[in-house]
């Protein structure tokens, strides 16, 4: 299990403790206790959020990145304008459950959002990052390149502000307004109308809007540097299931085209695009692929078209030997899902359904 | 304990499980196991990083934030230019240990960095975020406003790029070059020289440089919106110790000037500034304050001046009834500390020293 360093080997051995015997005794109790928990919980699937969470390890690291020499890092002040920065890396936060036997999940957020997408929901319930750890999956939550804790290069802004370049050199960065996101995330047909039965926790929408961050993806080269970084991460993990959402929906497929062997499976949640039916499908041979959709898709022209295109992709991919499924949650007894289904009121029911799907389809 | 929502009350109760009796049995085993761990480990102070970590709860939420109506969110494409965004909030990730009895620590990063500062070190060892949880402290790691997962307003960039404003309207965003950061973080007197005995893990410096992100603090109003948000967070936690670093060094003091009762203590690590000796010191009456410094300070003119100014502050504050200490780690047997001392090779020794200081000075 790759942990971005030597965490698992590190111990506090250098720190003088009050007594090594006490330490050994503690370790003995801890192991005994853990054995008790594993024995006691082996037969049950749904842990309580109010139960303590025991994990084998946690931490964060970066994957990818390249050095850029810039003369436009700053205008005035503490730091000089010239120097080297590192960009294009992705920030990864992970948690590994005790005695993990399932393939790791890599959770990738969509447009105008960060890895926060997968953490606590706006109304304060458990996020999928923790849910899947409790279900036995190591989880790796990333911030896409130039988003969140993954650095962007702001040199062009300094360059234009200081008059050394024209405004056309500015990055094509953008934000999503709440009113337009409302419709695109299918909370309703248009702001502030709500689809009947829609399950996003709108009473906590103010907390949700705080999740939205500027999106630099249009200012980045193609493929987005997130893609090779995801491929590298999957390889370091000795195989992973890439779980993407919306704008990142296509990334697991693009990562598979770099190195299909490291992709243990693909879960693409409401992707902005599936691979074209004319693409090379041989790379998906034998690969478990789930394209997952929420509700009200047929009431949004653009999403309806995307669902249709994904069905075509799955059909063509399966003829080439893939194991692709397109699932609309309504059809498995989970109606009312918005585009942000990992945060909907029934997000953990959806998560439980997905965990079962993974157990049925992904080799351990 | 405030958890940003109703996490602690939430259960999986709605999900159909395979058997409630199994669940109850599991809960029984879990409680018994936890009791064993608590009994077994009560007498020891230094847990192994390789021991499993058991936490009562974890998650993330935002504090603060205000809505901004913008006509410059995007130029072309999927999202329209006009809409509402929320900015000035701070992202907070927390973990609460089982049976926590100590005051929460709020960990605030410095210039050009994010909350990643406190997580796994560049060479993959345990970060302070986990270390202090293992030592019994609830920890809350924040991204400052307009940094990391805390949204910035990029409207001015769109405005200038689309020709609706002059380049002087661009935000004063900046990055820190690695060569200049080397000196400011006191890895050595100048890049690439190294101070003798300096403990930062330079063999992993490439991973460290990836932590650095663009800094928007100069583009924000005064006080930085992070400050009132920290005050609000401390109040919601019913009292917290604010732990700041470098550029955020002054923030806990500024938060105390908003509401001193919610500040259980201040730990300012190598602050860019302490309060001026001429400031109102009455707000610090009875307040435990630690200003903590690493090594080689006297070999860096700017840092040397800041240490001197902090000593003057502590002296004046103590005459007004504060409990302020200025500690240079060399003087307590921990030489070789860089400015990034929470990531130095002896970061957990420094953390253990700090945990002991907190246990001696902060009321539980």
């Amino acid at each position: 299990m790759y942990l971005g360093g030597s965490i698992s080997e590190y111990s506090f051995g250098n720190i003088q403790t009050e007594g090594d015997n006490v330490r050994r005794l503690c370790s003995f109790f801890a192991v005994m206790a853990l054995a008790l928990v594993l024995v006691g919980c082996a037969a049950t699937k749904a842990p309580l959020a109010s139960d303590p969470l025991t994990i084998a390890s946690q931490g964060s690291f970066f994957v990818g990145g390249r050095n850029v020499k810039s003369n436009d890092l700053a205008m005035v002040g503490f730091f000089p304008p010239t120097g080297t920065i590192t960009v294009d890396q992705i920030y990864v936060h992970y948690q590994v459950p005790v005695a993990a036997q399932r393939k790791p999940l890599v959770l990738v957020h969509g447009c105008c959002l960060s890895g926060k997408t997968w953490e606590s929901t706006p109304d304060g319930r458990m996020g999928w990052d923790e849910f899947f750890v409790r279900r036995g999956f190591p989880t790796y939550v990333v911030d896409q390149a130039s988003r969140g804790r993954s650095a962007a290069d702001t040199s062009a802004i300094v360059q234009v502000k200081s008059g050394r370049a024209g405004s056309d050199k500015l990055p094509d960065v953008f934000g999503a307004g709440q009113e337009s996101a409302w419709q695109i995330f299918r909370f309703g047909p248009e702001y502030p109308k709500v689809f009947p039965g829609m399950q996003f926790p709108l009473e906590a929408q103010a907390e949700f809007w705080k999740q939205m961050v500027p999106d630099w993806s249009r200012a980045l080269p193609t493929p987005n540097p997130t893609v090779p970084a995801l491929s590298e991460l999957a390889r370091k993990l000795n195989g992973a299931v890439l779980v993407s959402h919306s704008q990142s929906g296509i990334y697991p497929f693009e990562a598979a085209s770099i190195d299909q062997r490291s992709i243990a499976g693909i879960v693409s949640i409401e992707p902005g695009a599936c691979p074209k039916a004319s693409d090379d499908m041989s790379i998906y041979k034998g690969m478990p692929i789930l394209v997952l959709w929420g509700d009200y898709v047929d009431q949004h022209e653009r999403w309806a078209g995307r669902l249709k295109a994904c069905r075509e992709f799955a059909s063509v991919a399966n003829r080439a030997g893939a194991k692709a499924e397109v699932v609309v949650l309504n059809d498995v007894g989970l109606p009312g899902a918005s585009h942000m289904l990992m945060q909907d009121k029934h997000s953990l029911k959806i998560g439980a359904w997905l965990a079962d799907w993974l157990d049925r389809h992904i080799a351990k």
Side-chain angles (χ1 to χ4, degrees), chain A:
Chain A
M1 185 69 61
Y2 176 73
L3 302 172
S6 56
I7 292 167
S8 58
E9 294 154 41
Y10 188 83
S11 82
F12 283 53
N14 294 330
I15 300 176
Q16 293 191 356
T17 64
E18 291 180 348
D20 274 358
N21 289 335
V22 178
R23 293 272 331 283
R24 283 195 202 98
L25 192 65
C26 173
S27 292
F28 168 77
F29 274 110
V31 169
M32 288 300 293
L34 200 63
L36 263 178
V37 170
L38 292 176
V39 167
C41 298
T44 185
K45 273 189 174 178
L48 287 169
S50 55
D51 289 341
L53 170 66
T54 299
I55 53 169
S57 61
Q58 65 174 202
S60 62
F61 57 91
F62 295 91
V63 179
R66 65 185 170 92
N67 283 345
V68 174
K69 187 96 185 163
S70 173
N71 293 315
D72 302 285
L73 294 175
M75 287 190 69
V76 287
F78 204 63
F79 284 95
T82 297
T84 308
I85 58 172
T86 308
V87 294
D88 287 355
Q89 65 274 16
I90 59 169
Y91 166 82
V92 186
H93 189 273
Y94 71 90
Q95 292 201 99
V96 179
V98 174
Q101 295 189 330
R102 291 175 172 89
K103 288 285 183 198
L105 305 183
V106 177
L107 302 168
V108 193
H109 61 83
C111 164
C112 321
L113 295 161
S114 73
K116 164 66 183 156
T117 294
W118 309 99
E119 298 178 351
S120 311
T121 64
D123 54 340
R125 291 171 293 110
M126 184 193 292
W128 277 16
D129 67 324
E130 180 177 337
F131 174 81
F132 281 96
V133 170
R134 288 181 181 266
R135 280 291 299 257
F137 296 85
T139 65
Y140 292 74
V141 176
V142 317
D143 283 352
Q144 288 194 35
S146 294
R147 203 97 61 88
R149 291 173 171 179
S150 303
D153 183 356
T154 47
S155 298
I157 300 169
V158 174
Q159 218 172 7
V160 174
K161 189 173 173 71
S162 59
R164 290 195 295 281
S167 59
D168 58 308
K169 292 281 185 278
L170 286 170
D172 187 5
V173 61
F174 68 97
Q178 295 162 12
E179 299 82 353
S180 50
W182 182 283
Q183 187 192 20
I184 293 165
F185 295 168
R186 300 199 315 281
F187 298 157
E190 63 183 309
Y191 179 84
K193 292 180 186 166
V194 180
F195 286 125
M198 200 280 305
Q199 295 295 307
F200 191 82
L202 286 174
E203 70 278 11
Q205 64 176 285
E207 177 78 3
F208 173 65
W209 301 128
K210 296 177 186 178
Q211 295 186 14
M212 307 203 75
V213 295
D215 190 311
W216 287 67
S217 60
R218 295 166 62 97
L220 297 178
T222 301
N224 189 302
T226 305
V227 174
L230 288 174
S231 176
E232 185 182 338
L233 175 59
R235 201 165 53 247
K236 285 181 170 171
L237 293 171
N238 294 316
V241 178
L242 301 188
V243 182
S244 59
H245 179 235
S246 198
Q247 171 250 337
S248 73
I250 192 74
Y251 290 0
F253 301 98
E254 294 179 341
S257 76
I258 296 175
D259 176 10
Q260 71 215 78
R261 294 161 307 176
S262 60
I263 311 298
I266 291 175
V267 177
S268 186
I269 300 172
E270 299 221 342
C274 277
K276 292 188 192 73
S278 56
D279 285 358
D280 173 19
M281 294 291 153
S282 65
I283 56 174
Y284 307 119
K285 191 173 178 182
M287 190 179 289
I289 297 171
L290 172 65
V291 187
L292 190 63
W293 293 84
D295 212 336
Y296 319 107
V297 175
D298 56 350
Q299 296 181 57
H300 193 293
E301 189 183 343
R302 196 173 288 164
W303 287 119
R306 288 166 173 177
L307 170 54
K308 186 165 173 285
C310 286
R311 288 198 195 278
E312 287 165 14
F313 156 72
S315 170
V316 176
N318 285 341
R319 282 203 291 277
K323 300 174 180 173
E325 278 183 47
V326 176
V327 172
V328 178
L329 284 169
N330 306 37
D331 299 336
V332 294
L334 293 163
S338 76
H339 181 59
M340 297 303 300
L341 54 87
M342 72 295 287
Q343 301 182 4
D344 282 345
K345 288 177 185 169
H346 56 344
S347 60
L348 298 187
K349 285 188 185 178
I350 299 172
W353 181 89
L354 178 55
D356 289 342
W357 188 94
L358 291 166
D359 281 346
R360 286 198 308 275
H361 292 83
I362 309 292
K364 284 181 185 173

